Structures are given as C-alpha cells and as structure tokens.
Amino acid sequence: MDMLWSGWGDPGRAAPLPDPVTGLLRDLLGVKPRGTATVALEDLDVPASPLAP
C-alpha cells in the first residue's frame, strides 16, 4: 500500500469532502469557490448615489 508523502492514508481510498464541510472551510478561510468568473466594471449596474455631492 502506497502512502501519501505526509504518511496520511491510502491515495486509492481518497474521497472528496462533503459539500457542507467544503462550504464551512471556505467560509472560515475566506476562500472563494472555484469557477467564479470576474466581472468587468462596465458590466456592473450601479445605481446613482442618493447623496448630494
């Protein structure tokens, strides 16, 4: 049985984390989900400020 470089577990038995755990880790670590595309500034619809200049 081959072990990972850190010695933890069998790579052949690796499984992804459940979605709730992944979400919790993202929230705690401030990580954005993969695949989030950036939006160009000109594509944003920002309403005019209600404050006087």
Side-chain angles (χ1 to χ4, degrees):
M1 171 184 339
D2 290 352
M3 300 297 279
L4 296 176
W5 66 269
S6 62
W8 287 94
D10 176 5
R13 297 183 66 193
L17 291 174
D19 288 339
V21 175
T22 303
L24 178 65
L25 288 172
R26 285 184 178 147
D27 290 345
L28 291 173
L29 299 174
V31 176
K32 293 182 181 179
R34 291 182 191 172
T36 303
T38 57
V39 178
L41 187 58
E42 58 270 6
D43 292 337
L44 294 176
D45 184 25
V46 181
S49 173
L51 301 175

